[in-house]
Amino acid sequence: MTAWYAGVFALIVTALGWFLVTSLHSTLNENAQEALELTYRVVADRLREPDTDLAAILRDAVLPGETAETEVIGQILDREGNVVEAYGPRVVDGRVIDRTVLDEVVRAGHWHGPVQIPGRAHDDIAVVARLSGGVRTGSFLVLAQTLGPSEHAAGRLAWLLVVATPAALTVAAIGGWFVASVALRPVDAMTRRAAGIDAARADERLPVPPADDELSRLASTLNGMLERLRRALDAERRFSADASHELRTPIGLIEAEVDVALRSPATPPEARSVLSSVREEAARLGRIVGNLLVLSRAEAAGTVALDCRPVDLLDLAVPVAARLANVAADRGVELRVAGEAATAEVDADLLGQAVANLLDNALSHTPRGGAVSVTVSGGAEPTLAVCDTGAGIPADELPRIFDRFYRVDRARGRGGAGLGLEICRRIVEAHGGRIDVESEPGAGSTFRIRLRVAGG
Ligand code: ADP
């Protein structure tokens, strides 16, 4: 915008400057012409008197203080055009006007116009007429005056404009750029703030400029929109938190009642297999609902809220694996927990949920006859590794499996939502730990949760 304005400004100033210089030049020329005509009339009058001398008359007529530069050249030419009297700077070729001008004067009586006199730095203007009355009747009187001063003044103005225009242009451009950047600063501030607003920071608002103008109205309107979006987001989070919370109780009840039925000797064997399948699906439903609850809470608070205590990871892994023992047995997969005691500062419920997700995935992707193990190791980085001998994950899919809703083979359709690993990652990262995976297609995968030592 600044460049555009500077360009337009330069164009206007140049056009204006050109107009100024040419009009000053022509006005000064006209003035010089008028002054010369005036001098001419005075001189012609005086020349009618007897015993007059052109040089003396001109000396009186020309204003004192005029320099050779401005000085008038006067000549009286006889009827043949020969110079008989002269005043002023010496003229190289004698006569200052040529024959054609004299012919024109003979015809029209009077002539004025520009002339170029050899030896003079600038053009002159000249007035020529025939004298009448007195002894010089019939002679030509020629008065010429240099246009130097007007050319000089116009040249000075042009020079001034050439120097002043770029300076004025620079000042105007810098000023314009400064004003524009001050005016656009609030937009910049809004842009920067808007770039940082996301679902986790839905409470942030754009800065509203103090002036009551279009920008402040824009900021207020966008803030209004952000507020409505935040309310909608809150409502959605509250809904999924409430829904998952509400679902947990009936699922827990189903699990408990199926357990009772499975333990009862009165349950016929054919019902047992159906019930254990129901038990398995209820447990899976419980994990999915648990995942949704973790996620909605995490999104509402911006992070997963933890209730950390020093926990032995082996003590944590054993009951989680025990809950999935039935599933493993049904699938013909061996499930083991091994390793050493390793204490870490963790939220046992949430980390249990993460391990359950990993075991659930491992059991789902391991064919009959395979093995799934949870191995706990201590040291500087207490680690919990879930290892399977299953299908594995192709190398190009590995970087994305922790993303939300990402599933390796959608067509395979085990019914997962692609949430399990994202929740594992969130839970582990909330603990200040890391989760990574190594996998070889066809050979199996190992997911490793590395945590910090208790008190570390
Ligand atoms: P889902 O709910 O679909 O299991 P996850 O986030 O738990 O979603 O897993 C994402 C994808 O990673 C799954 O679709 C699955 O294909 C793949 N995956 C996870 N664990 C394993 C594993 N142990 N072996 C093979 N593939 C796995």
Side-chain angles (χ1 to χ4, degrees), residues 5 12 43-44 46 55 82 87 92 101 123 136 154 187 207 228 236 264 281 342 389 421 434 450 455-456:
Y5 279 126
I12 292 172
V43 174
R46 293 275 310 273
N82 302 315
Y87 166 83
V92 182
V101 172
D123 284 358
R136 293 185 180 81
V187 178
R228 290 193 295 281
E236 193 208 293
S264 162
E281 289 307 317
T389 58
L421 287 181
R434 288 177 293 137
R450 298 173 208 270

Side-chain angles (χ1 to χ4, degrees), residues 294-295 297-299 302-304 306 404 421-431 435:
V294 172
L295 206 64
R297 281 195 185 145
E299 307 243 294
T303 173
V304 182
L306 301 177
R404 182 177 299 188
L421 287 181
E422 194 222 344
I423 288 175
C424 285
R425 179 180 57 79
R426 281 184 158 237
I427 291 174
V428 172
E429 284 176 358
H431 281 86
I435 180 165

Side-chain angles (χ1 to χ4, degrees), residues 244-395:
S244 7
H245 195 74
E246 291 295 317
L247 284 170
R248 272 190 134 180
T249 323
I251 292 169
L253 274 173
I254 293 171
E255 285 184 275
E257 282 175 12
V258 171
D259 278 346
V260 170
L262 280 171
R263 274 199 297 272
S264 162
T267 307
E270 58 274 23
R272 275 179 193 278
S273 73
V274 175
L275 282 173
S276 67
S277 161
V278 169
R279 174 74 177 76
E280 187 183 317
E281 289 307 317
R284 235 167 71 70
L285 201 58
R287 275 192 300 280
I288 292 171
V289 166
N291 282 343
L292 284 175
L293 192 61
V294 172
L295 206 64
S296 53
R297 281 195 185 145
E299 307 243 294
T303 173
V304 182
L306 301 177
D307 177 15
C308 287
R309 275 179 204 138
V311 174
D312 181 358
L313 296 182
L314 208 54
D315 287 348
L316 182 139
V318 169
V320 175
R323 279 206 297 277
L324 284 157
N326 285 345
V327 181
D330 285 353
R331 301 210 171 144
V333 174
E334 191 195 338
L335 176 59
R336 275 174 306 184
V337 179
E340 56 195 28
T343 307
E345 185 96 21
V346 297
D347 183 316
D349 274 352
L350 286 174
L351 199 67
Q353 173 100 25
V355 176
N357 285 348
L358 293 181
L359 281 176
D360 188 28
N361 279 346
L363 290 172
S364 305
H365 294 95
T366 303
R368 197 162 278 278
V372 170
S373 64
V374 185
T375 313
V376 175
S377 55
E381 241 181 5
T383 303
L384 218 148
V386 175
C387 182
D388 66 62
T389 58
I393 303 161

